[in-house]
Amino acid sequence: MPLLWRYLLKDYFKILLLSTLVFVCILLVMRAQEIARFATLSSGGLGVFLFTLYQIPYILPFALCISTLIAAMLTMQSLTSSHEVTAFRCAGAALRSLISPILLASLFLCIVNFMIISELAPKCKLSSSSLLYETASNNPLILFRKNKFLKIKDSYVDMNFTDNDSLAENVIFAFKDSSSNKLSLILAKSLELAGKELVGSDLSLFSSLQTKADFDDLLLENQQQMTIDAGKISTLLQKSKQQIKFEHLPTKQLILKKKMGPKTKKVKKEYFFEVSKRAFFTFAPFTFTLLGLSFGIQIGRKLNRSKMAKVSLLILFIFVCYLLAKAMHKSPPLALTIFILPHPIIFAICGLRLKKIEKGIEV
């Protein structure tokens, strides 16, 4: 490897690693609410540690993209402030020879980001969900308390909780009965966890009977006390998590599910949208690196403060396009267009800026 390449890449990767570590820590703090909710469900520190560890691949693609921008910009600013860019140009080195090693490194980071977003993140997302469900099923009452965090499919739960996590009052539990394909309702004055059983008092059960007539038969049953196996709640929970989405699958399994699964429009839309989202993150490190390189170089003596505002606007434009594309998940072709849109625009802006700098025009 040429000496110039080693010198540039050393500074670039040093800043990149530090920035990535900082952004991962910041984004983990932003997810602290979910981690704290899981900590209330988990009884061991190992589970909390694993759940926190599984969050890192979610946020690593975002952290890596911003870190490539910061690393490229600070590397070029350091070369500019120490007049090394001027020295390289006086020695006959073209501008492309200064930025090409960093751009090649960003292509390597594109491969790394693709492996994270397509292989590591789906596996960690599925593992964290499994860990969450397994931990929560130990105490269904805590599960109901966190119903916004852990949702049981086709159900509605409402109850008043006491200071004791094993006791709830004024329980309302509505769920879809798979045998009759109709709703059933359970009302209870209190529900208490005793060992591996849920003990309810003053219960009312509303359900439907399967009949051959054209009308529904409603069954109303009142009981002073009833015992329910807590594992039944876990069974409902397992049924609710059986639907594995495309975002939970690595790339090979994603393609296999598309080929072997049902050929419905909904499946095609979900598959196309997930592929578009992964393509966005795959090319993002190169785009952010090019943006940092073009705005990090300065050939004039005066400090151009407006370029930071331009960089901020371009970053905002990229993330607005990302959020807008996610909102268009029901229209995958439009989502793909919005996902791709920022990349050619950034390429064009940075290319024009670098051409002007190479000609000695201050921008």
Side-chain angles (χ1 to χ4, degrees):
M1 182 182 294
L3 181 62
L4 175 61
W5 284 37
R6 284 183 293 183
Y7 177 71
L8 293 172
L9 293 177
K10 179 182 177 182
D11 289 345
Y12 175 73
F13 279 107
K14 183 169 62 177
I15 301 171
L16 176 68
L17 293 175
L18 181 60
S19 301
T20 304
L21 180 61
V22 171
F23 275 106
V24 166
C25 294
I26 292 174
L27 294 174
L28 272 179
V29 171
M30 295 176 64
R31 299 180 72 93
Q33 186 177 7
E34 293 184 8
I35 297 173
R37 284 175 175 176
F38 177 80
T40 61
L41 299 174
S42 178
S43 59
L46 180 60
V48 177
F49 173 75
L50 289 176
F51 185 78
T52 305
L53 195 63
Y54 289 148
Q55 307 305 306
I56 296 178
Y58 299 174
I59 61 182
L60 197 54
F62 293 96
L64 189 60
C65 291
I66 298 298
S67 298
T68 53
L69 170 69
I70 295 175
M73 181 172 285
L74 291 182
T75 301
M76 287 296 106
Q77 286 180 350
S78 176
L79 294 175
T80 301
S81 61
S82 60
H83 305 291
E84 290 175 281
V85 173
T86 305
F88 286 136
R89 297 297 300 275
C90 292
L95 185 61
R96 68 176 69 92
S97 64
L98 291 176
I99 65 175
S100 57
I102 298 179
L103 288 178
L104 288 175
S106 69
L107 291 177
F108 170 75
L109 293 174
C110 288
I111 299 175
V112 173
N113 217 28
F114 172 75
M115 296 301 295
I116 294 173
I117 195 69
S118 66
E119 301 295 329
L120 186 59
K123 292 180 180 179
C124 289
K125 186 175 292 187
L126 191 60
S127 297
S128 63
S129 299
S130 300
L131 184 64
L132 191 61
Y133 285 116
E134 290 172 3
T135 305
S137 61
N138 294 331
N139 189 345
L141 291 182
I142 297 181
L143 170 64
F144 291 144
R145 183 190 292 267
K146 306 300 179 183
N147 191 41
K148 293 182 179 179
F149 186 46
L150 282 171
K151 293 184 179 293
I152 301 179
K153 184 182 177 182
D154 299 329
S155 69
Y156 170 79
V157 180
D158 187 23
M159 59 185 69
N160 297 328
F161 289 95
T162 62
D163 294 335
N164 185 2
D165 288 335
S166 299
L167 178 64
E169 298 176 346
N170 301 323
V171 180
I172 302 175
F173 182 29
F175 60 95
K176 183 179 179 181
D177 189 353
S178 58
S179 60
S180 61
N181 202 27
K182 296 178 182 178
L183 289 178
S184 297
L185 177 65
I186 297 178
L187 304 178
K189 185 176 181 180
S190 66
L191 195 62
E192 184 177 5
L193 180 66
K196 294 184 178 181
E197 295 181 339
L198 286 174
V199 180
S201 61
D202 298 333
L203 285 97
S204 297
L205 172 63
F206 298 86
S207 60
S208 299
L209 296 176
Q210 288 184 331
T211 60
K212 296 182 180 180
D214 295 332
F215 54 87
D216 295 333
D217 289 334
L218 182 64
L219 175 64
L220 171 60
E221 182 180 0
N222 294 317
Q223 292 190 16
Q224 185 176 2
Q225 191 178 56
M226 185 172 67
T227 302
I228 306 173
D229 186 5
K232 299 294 184 181
I233 305 298
S234 301
T235 302
L236 287 174
L237 192 58
Q238 292 294 329
K239 289 181 180 180
S240 69
K241 73 166 187 174
Q242 283 178 356
Q243 293 184 347
I244 299 178
K245 299 181 180 179
F246 283 112
E247 62 181 359
H248 296 144
L249 298 175
T251 302
K252 290 183 179 180
Q253 297 180 13
L254 180 75
I255 298 173
L256 185 62
K257 182 179 179 181
K258 170 64 171 55
K259 291 182 178 179
M260 305 298 293
K263 307 295 182 180
T264 61
K265 290 184 178 180
K266 182 179 179 181
V267 171
K268 291 181 180 179
K269 287 182 178 181
E270 292 178 356
Y271 170 80
F272 196 74
F273 175 78
E274 183 62 25
V275 171
S276 303
K277 186 176 69 173
R278 295 185 184 187
F280 170 83
F281 281 106
T282 299
F283 296 105
F286 182 84
T287 303
F288 279 94
T289 300
L290 182 61
L291 184 63
L293 290 174
S294 61
F295 281 88
I297 299 176
Q298 183 177 338
I299 60 175
R301 295 183 178 180
K302 295 181 180 179
L303 180 62
N304 190 357
R305 297 180 178 178
S306 63
K307 72 178 180 181
M308 291 305 301
K310 295 177 182 177
V311 172
S312 300
L313 288 175
L314 290 174
I315 295 173
L316 181 63
F317 169 69
I318 294 173
F319 281 106
V320 166
C321 287
Y322 171 75
L323 295 175
L324 186 60
K326 286 191 67 177
M328 298 293 177
H329 63 276
K330 293 184 178 180
S331 179
L334 181 59
L336 176 62
T337 303
I338 300 175
F339 272 132
I340 296 177
L341 181 63
H343 298 288
I345 292 177
I346 298 298
F347 293 164
I349 293 174
C350 295
L352 291 174
R353 183 179 176 86
L354 289 173
K355 282 185 177 180
K356 290 183 179 180
I357 292 175
E358 193 170 13
K359 292 178 181 179
I361 303 174
E362 186 176 358
V363 289

